Amino acid sequence: MKKDEPVPFLDVATPHRVLKAELMAVVDEALSTGRFVGGPNLEKFESAFAQFCTTKHCVGVANGTDALRFAYIAAGIQPKDIVITVAHTFIATTEAISQVGASIVFVDINEATYTLDPQKLEQFLKTECTKKSDETTIHTKSGQRVKAVVPVHLYGQTADMDPILELAQQYNLLVIEDACQSHGAAYYSKNQKCWKTAGSMGIAAAFSFYPGKNLGACGEAGAVTTNDAAIAEKIRMIREHGQKKKYIHDMEGYNGRLDAIQAGFLAIKLKHLAQWNTQRHEHAVYYNQLLKDIKEVVTTPHLEWRKGVYHLYIIVLSDTKTRDALQQHLNNNGIGTGLHYPIPLHLQTAYSYMGHTAGSFPVSEKIASQCLSLPMFPELTQEQQQRVVAVIKDFFKR
Ligand SMILES: *Cc1c(COP(=O)(O)O)cnc(C)c1O
């Protein structure tokens, strides 16, 4: 690699170039059989992905947002229920809450994990909610039932699930995981004394196979994983207009199926996912090593209880001005960067009706305004990483 060759933020092209013959065979087969919806490719992928996530069931759907929405509906979230989640996530997590008619409540993230802070969840449940003596569910002071909590396994790292699951049990809440960025991430459960895979810890979990995700389709796709047979069956109905049998509708649903061609692509790419995740992990370790002497750069803390799959590799800078200037400097030097995500949800115009202000969720605000995502994809080379870090060092005049 030449000294000042650009480093892309993401390389979606290379894996498809490598797998092209195999992927084209899926297209050929679909064109000659005319099987574009359902069929063996879908079933094959669903059972392989369930196995990968160590769950009993996987139901393919049209995208990650549908996966969230269908999981919420199938889990029994009703209009006016409250669903608790974080403000430091992609808006799909909360869009789907509103789309089922429920209300969003934000809880702040933890500074070391960038995910839902169990202590702040407990604080909300203890101080803002009451349990009527004759009921098992809790309500907010406004009288709304608190039904579910949605931890988001952001950046390819799991939330701290043991205390979240304990609180959920204590307060009778459902846990639905947003695992859209965490295909294959692992969490060590002290309670169960074993490693658990993202997507296997709640009542259901949503995955996205948007092209840039660790497992990406060549278009839109998603899935719900669950160990609950009734939820899996319900999602199979919801994705297909509420029908179990053709034209027999037990309920209204959606058109939210996963295309047969995409399922065929995903089944091929899934065989490489563990290897790709290992490569991402190695890159993260190498970045950490290269960056450790730059005191202005904070890397994601290593925590014994989780193994990340680094959907994104983020660093945190001292303030927004430094972050923005460093991003500009990297971009000027041909290095791709991203911001995930620059404005926390509670400060978005879409949620201005909630009345939150700057200061409502300080950790979410801090990470949003100081984080910077560096190039991260399996094919990234050590030379490319060295170049990224050399440009960062140059910025800080090291
Ligand atoms: C990508 C993503 C989604 C939505 O997935 P789509 O397939 O784009 O609908 C939801 N939540 C998170 C955290 C995501 O990163």
Side-chain angles (χ1 to χ4, degrees):
M1 173 172 155
K2 282 196 229 86
K3 198 176 150 286
D4 45 9
E5 215 165 289
V7 182
F9 179 63
L10 191 65
D11 175 10
V12 185
T14 299
H16 300 104
R17 192 164 57 240
V18 174
L19 298 171
K20 189 166 176 189
E22 242 183 303
L23 298 171
M24 287 308 288
V26 171
V27 178
D28 274 346
E29 190 208 57
L31 291 177
S32 60
T33 60
R35 202 152 38 208
F36 299 115
V37 175
N41 278 345
L42 179 63
E43 285 163 27
K44 202 171 85 181
F45 171 67
E46 287 179 338
S47 73
F49 194 67
Q51 194 178 5
F52 181 86
C53 296
T54 71
T55 57
K56 291 196 185 118
H57 311 277
C58 164
V59 185
V61 296
N63 54 64
T65 312
D66 272 0
L68 285 161
R69 185 171 38 223
F70 299 173
Y72 297 161
I73 297 169
I77 294 169
Q78 300 278 332
K80 303 211 164 56
D81 282 344
I82 279 180
V83 178
I84 301 169
T85 191
V86 289
H88 185 58
T89 180
F90 181 56
I91 194 169
T93 316
T94 51
E95 274 176 333
I97 296 172
S98 302
Q99 286 161 358
V100 305
S103 305
I104 304 156
V105 163
F106 292 122
V107 163
D108 210 355
I109 55 168
N110 178 283
E111 179 133 23
T113 67
Y114 310 136
T115 61
L116 182 79
D117 189 326
Q119 278 180 354
K120 289 172 189 153
L121 174 62
E122 180 167 28
Q123 199 180 349
F124 170 79
L125 295 168
K126 270 193 172 150
T127 60
E128 302 293 321
C129 305
T130 50
K131 192 191 258 182
K132 294 180 195 141
S133 57
D134 56 336
E135 288 190 38
T136 55
T137 51
I138 59 163
H139 292 74
T140 56
K141 286 169 184 159
S142 63
Q144 282 176 275
R145 177 174 72 157
V146 186
K147 182 69 181 174
V149 55
V150 182
V152 180
H153 304 314
L154 204 70
Y155 303 146
Q157 316 255 13
T158 69
D160 187 5
M161 292 300 286
D162 275 346
I164 294 171
L165 290 163
E166 280 168 28
L167 286 166
Q169 191 163 27
Q170 193 182 335
Y171 289 92
N172 203 21
L173 309 176
L174 299 169
V175 176
I176 296 157
E177 304 167 72
D178 182 338
C180 286
Q181 297 193 2
S182 285
H183 322 67
Y187 173 76
Y188 187 79
S189 168
K190 283 199 191 115
N191 291 346
Q192 297 181 51
K193 296 191 175 55
C194 64
W195 286 94
K196 306 284 290 180
T197 308
S200 70
M201 294 179 272
I203 181 119
F207 285 91
S208 166
F209 306 121
Y210 184 77
K213 305 286 163 110
N214 288 30
L215 178 63
C218 307
E220 303 278 351
V224 177
T225 54
T226 179
N227 285 314
D228 186 314
I231 286 183
E233 185 179 84
K234 194 140 188 209
I235 290 168
R236 285 183 201 286
M237 289 169 64
I238 296 168
R239 75 175 172 185
E240 193 139 22
H241 302 290
Q243 64 184 26
K244 249 185 258 177
K245 280 205 198 110
K246 206 171 173 70
Y247 305 136
I248 311 294
H249 306 278
D250 295 1
M251 58 189 284
E252 280 188 345
Y254 291 82
N255 178 351
R257 292 172 294 241
L258 171 54
D259 285 354
I261 290 180
Q262 297 300 344
F265 291 155
L266 287 166
I268 290 165
K269 294 181 72 180
L270 178 58
K271 291 185 274 181
H272 302 271
L273 180 57
Q275 169 64 28
W276 289 333
N277 283 345
T278 302
Q279 287 170 287
R280 285 174 183 270
H281 194 274
E282 285 167 4
H283 302 334
V285 170
Y286 192 52
Y287 266 140
N288 289 346
Q289 185 192 324
L290 293 174
L291 290 165
K292 76 172 184 302
D293 298 328
I294 311 177
K295 65 171 193 320
E296 294 89 344
V297 171
V298 175
T299 58
T300 303
H302 170 75
L303 299 163
E304 291 294 319
W305 48 263
R306 65 183 191 180
K307 283 186 204 140
V309 293
Y310 292 90
H311 171 58
L312 294 165
Y313 182 88
I314 71 140
I315 57 174
V316 176
L317 289 310
S318 57
D319 54 60
T320 309
K321 207 168 136 251
T322 309
R323 190 270 309 271
D324 291 348
L326 175 60
Q327 181 176 35
Q328 191 61 56
H329 185 71
L330 285 160
N331 293 358
N332 290 347
N333 284 277
I335 291 164
T337 56
L339 300 181
H340 302 90
Y341 294 90
I343 302 174
L345 294 182
H346 67 285
L347 299 180
Q348 298 277 359
T349 307
Y351 296 124
S352 59
Y353 70 87
M354 292 185 190
H356 293 304
T357 53
S360 296
F361 302 101
V363 184
S364 298
E365 289 161 29
K366 178 186 164 174
I367 302 303
S369 61
Q370 296 170 215
C371 70
L372 181 64
S373 307
L374 300 182
M376 174 54 85
F377 48 91
E379 299 78 11
L380 189 68
T381 65
Q382 291 208 336
E383 290 71 30
Q384 287 176 314
Q385 292 187 271
Q386 287 160 12
R387 171 150 164 71
V388 172
V389 175
V391 174
I392 294 173
K393 283 187 171 162
D394 175 60
F395 177 79
F396 290 111
K397 305 275 181 279
R398 295 297 190 85

